[in-house]
Amino acid sequence: MAVPAFTSCFRTDVVVPPIIPSVMAGFDDSVRFTWYLSGELNRSKSLKAADQFMSAAVDEARDMPGSELVFSAVVREPLPGERRPPSVLPIPAGDGRGRIIPLWSSLVLDYCETRIVIPDVWDVDWFQVDLARALLDLHKGSSFAVGYFDGAGNTRPDAIPAELPDGRWRMDEWTPGVESPFSFDVLMIRDGQNWDEAAVIRELESYVEGGGGILFAPSTIAGPSSKVGFWAEKQSEKSLPRDGGGTVLYLDDPEFLGTTAYEQGHLTLRDLDTALLIAAGRTDLVALASNVSRTPRTTSSGFGRVGSRLMRRSDEISAVRRGGARRDFIEAEAITMTRDDAGEGDSFRLERRTDGWVVASGDWILPARGDRVEAFLRRMDEASRTRWRVSETAAFLSEPNVTNFLMDHTGPAGNERIRFLGTRQQGGGAYVRMEDGVELWPNLGGVELSGDARHWMERRLFHNAEGVIRVELFTDDTLYWRIHERDGSWILTDRTGNETRLNKEAASGYISRLIRIESLTLAPTPESENSSLVLMLEDNRGRRFEYRLRDSPTGRVAAASTDGFDHLLDEAAVSLILNGP
């Protein structure tokens, strides 16, 4: 069944290069697009035009003979705490108040277990090239790999600009004679003298004969080319590719593979990107880049639903919801997590109570990080709506460091059990066993799916403190140190009773480190244990927070709260408390 992701109430005169719907129609499972878009960009005409372009591309792919396209999409802003691909690029910009804010316009494509990212979507004409490339790479299973090498060594600051095309290409350093060039689809090389010329030429000849592509540029150091550079220049003049051989593209421009030219604006990402496409032999994309169609920015009907949907967010603009139902995890009353390899009593529950969340296991109940629990539930809501089926292969089921565990969710709609099989190492997301197969739920992962109860415990000693005005360490008969605010200044009192004025930065820095302390873990305080050494903090609302410090049987220092919990502290936290500001 073919399902369009973007539904327009009118036809627009958008020219879609045939390569894009052709590749789209070839997918045999669901394709998921997530467009991270900042709210400040809603009115951008170029992005509305990009939205129109995707709508038209999906319509054409759906109508192709034999198409089985299942395509879904959502436009939204990044969720708090969400694990994003590192190649998703925020662009810093200033607002009307002089503040720097990040602007997002990045498109993430997911298909089965493969994730491809278009890190920056701004101009609709270049977006056509990027979308065609991303779809081809998605179908291939990964983006093209580029190995880069600077023959001049690492002594010059004008290094190869490898970070510039990262995201559109998988960039990694290549070392001649050490790593096989066949690990890469393209080699990006700057000439120099830092190599064994004869051995490198033999290696590159074999690589090109085997179909590899090379982008070669002269050194920025004035002087004649090396023998390798002379070989690359002569190879570039030949009529390649032929007989399955690769391409050598020699650019007689010493600045081309140097960062300075890009920083000064003499060259751009698109110059480097197009050269890499030519070297990789991606002639279909090169032709598209050199003759991009001009998509109309407006129509007689305006932008309609396709344009106005950028003003909305989340599920309102998701055209396909696999499985359909929204689970409303955010309304959960309790969550039980049990690892498959856990012993008896190792499972734990997160329970919502009138005064907040708690972590419960067996006979003990501890306070929980409500902010972490509710952020996780919001991501679970999003993931349950945007999940997609994946192939059930041994590749991910036998992946190392995978934690298998059950999550029992109890909410207004009843109970539900979810079996997590593990996390996707590349691109994030969690594999979930469903009745009809395995699904990937995006935006989940990390420690929250590790089955570690400590992540959910409220381990911050002073998480409720607001506007600290006094901190001191004392026993019944001895003051070790105190800092307090007086007449707009901070005063340090030492063990002898001497007072010293602290500068504001030193006092606020110490207090900031103190209130960020998190214990290693929590445990109920033994009834027989007590201590006279007290750490006390007071805030501007008149609240006092006290912890009694003592040695625990584990060898750690325990900070016992008035609520009956032991916070076991690491050495850095103990040193910060005992030494004072």
Side-chain angles (χ1 to χ4, degrees), residues 353-425:
R353 300 196 172 182
T354 54
D355 55 348
W357 286 88
V358 298
V359 183
S361 180
D363 295 330
W364 55 263
I365 298 175
L366 299 171
R369 286 283 299 265
D371 56 338
R372 286 182 177 173
V373 176
E374 293 186 6
F376 171 65
L377 294 177
R378 284 193 296 270
R379 287 195 294 277
M380 286 290 292
D381 269 340
E382 175 74 16
S384 70
R385 295 194 300 272
T386 60
R387 67 195 191 277
W388 61 90
R389 287 286 302 279
V390 297
S391 302
E392 188 172 344
T393 64
F396 71 80
L397 292 178
S398 60
E399 207 166 35
N401 303 319
V402 168
T403 298
N404 295 277
F405 72 94
L406 297 172
M407 188 181 103
D408 289 300
H409 157 240
T410 304
N415 299 331
E416 180 179 22
R417 170 164 289 192
I418 298 175
R419 176 175 288 277
F420 289 97
L421 301 175
T423 56
R424 181 170 61 165
Q425 302 302 305

Side-chain angles (χ1 to χ4, degrees), residues 207 244 310 332 577:
Y207 175 67
L310 297 187
I577 294 170

Side-chain angles (χ1 to χ4, degrees), residues 269-519:
L269 159 68
R270 294 302 177 178
D271 295 313
L272 180 58
D273 188 44
T274 302
L276 284 170
L277 289 174
I278 294 172
R282 308 186 76 174
T283 54
D284 46 1
L285 296 178
V286 174
L288 190 59
S290 61
N291 187 29
V292 290
S293 60
R294 296 293 164 180
T295 304
R297 300 303 200 263
T298 59
T299 67
S300 58
S301 303
F303 285 106
R305 290 180 60 190
V306 173
S308 64
R309 73 191 195 88
L310 297 187
M311 302 295 290
R312 305 195 298 270
R313 286 296 183 268
S314 194
D315 57 303
E316 294 183 38
I317 50 176
S318 180
V320 177
R321 301 181 192 174
R322 290 191 68 85
R326 172 175 175 146
R327 286 173 163 78
D328 287 322
F329 285 99
I330 195 62
E331 302 298 330
E333 299 164 3
I335 297 171
T336 300
M337 294 188 177
T338 307
R339 291 204 323 244
D340 280 358
D341 59 351
E344 185 177 352
D346 284 348
S347 65
F348 62 92
R349 301 184 309 282
L350 299 171
E351 296 179 3
R352 188 196 301 268
R353 300 196 172 182
T354 54
D355 55 348
W357 286 88
V358 298
V359 183
S361 180
D363 295 330
W364 55 263
I365 298 175
L366 299 171
R369 286 283 299 265
D371 56 338
R372 286 182 177 173
V373 176
E374 293 186 6
F376 171 65
L377 294 177
R378 284 193 296 270
R379 287 195 294 277
M380 286 290 292
D381 269 340
E382 175 74 16
S384 70
R385 295 194 300 272
T386 60
R387 67 195 191 277
W388 61 90
R389 287 286 302 279
V390 297
S391 302
E392 188 172 344
T393 64
F396 71 80
L397 292 178
S398 60
E399 207 166 35
N401 303 319
V402 168
T403 298
N404 295 277
F405 72 94
L406 297 172
M407 188 181 103
D408 289 300
H409 157 240
T410 304
N415 299 331
E416 180 179 22
R417 170 164 289 192
I418 298 175
R419 176 175 288 277
F420 289 97
L421 301 175
T423 56
R424 181 170 61 165
Q425 302 302 305
Q426 299 296 325
Y431 295 110
V432 176
R433 167 74 68 189
M434 306 300 288
E435 290 183 0
D436 56 348
V438 177
E439 295 182 346
L440 184 67
W441 290 30
N443 310 323
L444 300 173
V447 68
E448 62 190 11
L449 296 183
S450 67
D452 188 345
R454 290 174 300 177
H455 173 70
W456 306 104
M457 296 176 184
E458 180 51 88
R459 295 182 288 125
R460 296 172 296 178
L461 270 63
F462 303 109
H463 64 280
N464 286 328
E466 298 178 11
V468 177
I469 61 173
R470 181 165 63 110
V471 187
E472 58 188 41
L473 182 69
F474 62 91
T475 63
D476 293 341
D477 54 10
T478 304
L479 174 68
Y480 289 93
W481 58 261
R482 173 196 297 131
I483 58 173
H484 71 283
E485 194 174 21
R486 185 171 69 197
D487 299 330
S489 299
W490 284 94
I491 306 299
L492 169 64
T493 305
D494 63 19
R495 189 168 183 172
T496 65
N498 291 328
E499 293 187 347
T500 306
R501 190 182 300 273
L502 287 177
N503 67 58
K504 186 175 182 179
E505 290 74 18
S508 61
Y510 180 79
I511 291 172
S512 176
R513 293 193 299 274
L514 193 67
I515 63 177
R516 289 202 306 268
I517 287 178
E518 285 195 29
S519 57

Side-chain angles (χ1 to χ4, degrees), residues 32-51:
R32 177 72 186 168
F33 276 25
T34 304
W35 191 0
Y36 293 107
L37 187 67
S38 298
E40 294 84 359
L41 300 173
N42 283 330
R43 296 179 179 84
S44 170
K45 288 187 176 181
S46 65
L47 296 181
K48 290 179 180 178
D51 196 31

